[in-house]
């Protein structure tokens, strides 16, 4: 009797758009993952939006964006969670563009002052180490070049979670998130 070959079923991984979208569509799971990443408690969030497209019809020649997961909390802070599976050596540029699009569309209404802008957290979940330092979490703010103790208060925090990071005192939940990002692609 001829033996049938074993079929390996692909597991699409946590960073696959549909998988990440399904996980993060659940308010409780989304809030929990945000709290793991940010290391602070969030009072409550509105329902997350997945694959939220931002187009600018007046400027069709400009690149549009699609936020993988866009969340607003009850204090009106914004969170954009993006899955990055390919290191194109452009994360900084990509983060700048996504932050600009988030600001353009969501953070300031006409007639309001700049102090009314919403705080924004740009979170990139990567299955590679963009900085090559082996850390699990890289956090970026805007600092003054000559005096790093002076931070420009712009309300924007950029975070990269490195799926290839090596645990070094992080919480068990942060290590668990990295393990989830690194789960095998097939079973």
């Amino acid at each position: 009797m001829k033996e049938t070959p074993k079929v390996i079923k692909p597991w699409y991984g946590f960073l696959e758009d549909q998988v990440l979208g399904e996980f993060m569509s659940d308010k409780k799971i989304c809030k929990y993952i945000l709290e793991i990443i940010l290391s602070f408690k969030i009072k409550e969030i509105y329902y997350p939006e997945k694959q939220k497209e931002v187009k600018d019809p007046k400027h069709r020649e400009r690149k549009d964006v699609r936020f993988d997961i866009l969340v607003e909390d009850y204090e009106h802070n914004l969170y954009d969670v993006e899955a990055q599976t390919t290191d194109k050596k452009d994360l900084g540029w990509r983060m700048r563009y996504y932050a600009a699009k988030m600001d353009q569309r969501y953070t300031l209404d006409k007639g309001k002052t700049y102090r009314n802008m919403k705080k924004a957290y740009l979170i990139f979940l990567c299955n590679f180490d963009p900085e090559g330092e082996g850390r699990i979490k890289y956090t970026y703010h805007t600092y003054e070049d000559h005096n790093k103790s002076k931070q420009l208060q712009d309300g924007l925090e950029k975070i990269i979670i490195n799926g290839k990071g090596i645990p070094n005192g992080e919480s068990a939940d942060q290590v668990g998130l990295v393990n989830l990002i690194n789960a095998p692609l097939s079973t």
Side-chain angles (χ1 to χ4, degrees), residues 135-186:
R135 293 197 336 250
I136 286 178
K137 180 178 175 181
Y138 299 101
T139 306
Y140 301 90
H141 297 92
T142 307
Y143 294 96
E144 202 281 324
D145 283 346
H146 297 286
N147 183 351
K148 300 291 187 220
S149 69
K150 293 189 179 206
Q151 180 181 339
L152 187 64
Q153 300 301 314
D154 60 5
L156 176 63
E157 187 170 324
K158 294 170 265 182
I159 300 166
I160 297 173
I161 299 297
N162 168 20
K164 301 299 181 203
I166 301 164
N168 186 17
E170 289 82 10
S171 72
D173 288 337
Q174 286 179 339
V175 173
L177 178 60
V178 167
N179 290 337
L180 185 60
I181 290 171
N182 282 317
L185 295 177
S186 62

Side-chain angles (χ1 to χ4, degrees), residues 66-112:
R66 178 177 290 139
F67 298 120
D68 289 348
I69 306 295
L70 186 62
V71 183
E72 184 174 357
D73 69 21
Y74 282 18
E75 295 174 351
H76 304 291
N77 299 309
L78 292 173
Y79 308 88
D80 172 29
V81 181
E82 297 292 324
Q84 299 297 306
T85 59
T86 306
D87 188 2
K88 296 182 181 178
K89 310 291 187 211
D90 67 352
L91 279 189
W93 295 103
R94 182 181 293 263
M95 290 179 122
R96 174 182 162 188
Y97 199 72
Y98 275 56
K101 287 295 188 176
M102 194 167 26
D103 279 344
Q104 177 188 22
R105 180 61 64 93
Y106 298 105
T107 65
L108 189 63
D109 295 329
K110 283 184 178 182
K112 300 289 183 181

